[in-house]
Amino acid sequence: MLKINIPAEDKRFDVLIIGAGPAGLTAAIYAARADLKVGFLEGSTPGGKVTSTDQIENYPGFQKVVGSDLALNMFNQATKLKAHYMYGWVDRINKDEDAKIFSVHTKKNETYFAKVVIIATGMKERTLGLENEKKFEYKGISYCAVCDGNLYANQDVAVVGGGNSAIQEALYLTKIVKKIYLIHRREQFRADAIMLDEIKSKSNVEMLVPYVVKAYVGDEKITGIKIQNLETNEERILNVACIFPYIGFNPSTSFLSNLDILNEQKQIITNKNKKTKIDGLYGVGDVTENDFRQITTANSDGTVAALDAIDYINKNAKSWSW
């Protein structure tokens, strides 16, 4: 990989974490408590998708907690331990094998250097892939009910999806909007039974299965959607002010294409200690090959990676000259 010149001290870190969701922040907390110099880069709101979750009811120690509050507590804990927060989107990562130093380059042409890099970039919302999707983004397409729900108070909206995220966001919207069309391509939902029972009890929710969205309707903003029944091929127009798709996520790993650490699904390949095949490079949280993606599993990944990274740095202390 590329040879590098080591920069001023404020650009150097023992551990540099890319992403500030639960996995990244947990790793930052553990590494900072080990008296390492820790930095974390985040191009969006610290806390990841937790910040856009209304109520969390399965996080140990809390019968119910607001997602943004939990995320802020994690962020504050990390920064109080002197983990350095930096804003930025990462463009690429390189490693000088002789110096055993990573260089992390951002889209704003900033470069940071680290003995260890932990990637915790999570997943990006999957789109429906329909015509005019970019045009209507934030003009009737939203991926965050908590963020944008109030914009559609007392109006009709659609939620697409059958997992926990879709049902959870729909439940949040029931308190705000006039009516919700809950659209899912299958008869069976993947969401937890408790949440399904709750959404079925809401008088302002109409469940439409098995349906898919075929097109957006509108000029400058969305005024409706065209849906199709997968059994009968019947099509109909729903007059809605907004559509909230929750149909899954794609890993945020495009900046890693030069490192050969991704599987066919573009997820990071790691071992049980969250190491990639490159010494000193780790992957944690939703961006990896995990079968389950929960806040608690992200916490676990961050813990394991940080502890292994601490051991790696201690064992190789003489390898770095700065």
Side-chain angles (χ1 to χ4, degrees), residues 25 29 40 74-85:
L25 290 174
I29 289 166
F40 58 96
M74 292 182 189
F75 176 80
N76 286 340
Q77 185 174 359
T79 54
K80 284 180 180 178
L81 289 166
K82 298 183 179 180
H84 301 263
Y85 163 59

Side-chain angles (χ1 to χ4, degrees), residues 31 132 194 235 260 296:
N132 292 324
I194 292 175
E235 292 186 346
D260 191 29
T296 48

